[in-house]
């Protein structure tokens, strides 16, 4: 149960979590370093992740697949965690500038 199948390759859950953490940390650092650029990127990335999750849900319900069996599930999750990290990082920076 601790392994996730992706495109014929078994990926451990810990590796998937580390990739999500990597996306979060990169987003956080980028948000602290370039908060204005992150704020400009958030709508585009958010819409793309939303569409990606919508397509993932359609594929899994139509073909009765598990989300972990789809190749682009991990990159979509990494982008989502990048968005979260970027929003937090830019908010921290903007908060420090205001107060």
């Amino acid at each position: 149960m601790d392994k996730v199948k992706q495109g014929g390759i078994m990926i451990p859950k810990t590796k998937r979590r580390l990739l999500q953490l990597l996306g979060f940390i990169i987003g956080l650092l980028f948000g602290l370093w370039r908060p204005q650029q992150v704020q400009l990127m958030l709508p585009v990335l958010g819409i793309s992740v939303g569409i990606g999750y919508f397509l993932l849900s359609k594929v899994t319900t139509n073909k009765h697949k598990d989300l972990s069996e789809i190749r682009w599930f991990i990159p979509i999750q990494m982008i989502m965690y990048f968005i979260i990290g970027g929003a937090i990082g830019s908010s921290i920076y903007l908060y420090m500038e205001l107060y």
Side-chain angles (χ1 to χ4, degrees), residues 26-45 82-91:
I26 291 172
L28 184 70
L29 293 176
F30 196 64
L32 289 170
W33 184 48
R34 300 272 191 201
Q36 293 161 340
Q37 287 180 340
V38 168
Q39 291 294 321
L40 291 173
M41 290 172 23
L42 287 179
V44 174
L45 290 175
F82 176 85
I83 291 171
I84 294 168
I88 291 172
S90 63
S91 297

Side-chain angles (χ1 to χ4, degrees), residues 44-63:
V44 174
L45 290 175
I47 290 170
S48 65
V49 167
I51 291 171
Y53 270 111
F54 175 74
L55 293 174
L56 279 170
S57 69
K58 289 296 180 186
V59 167
T60 55
T61 55
N62 290 344
K63 297 184 181 178

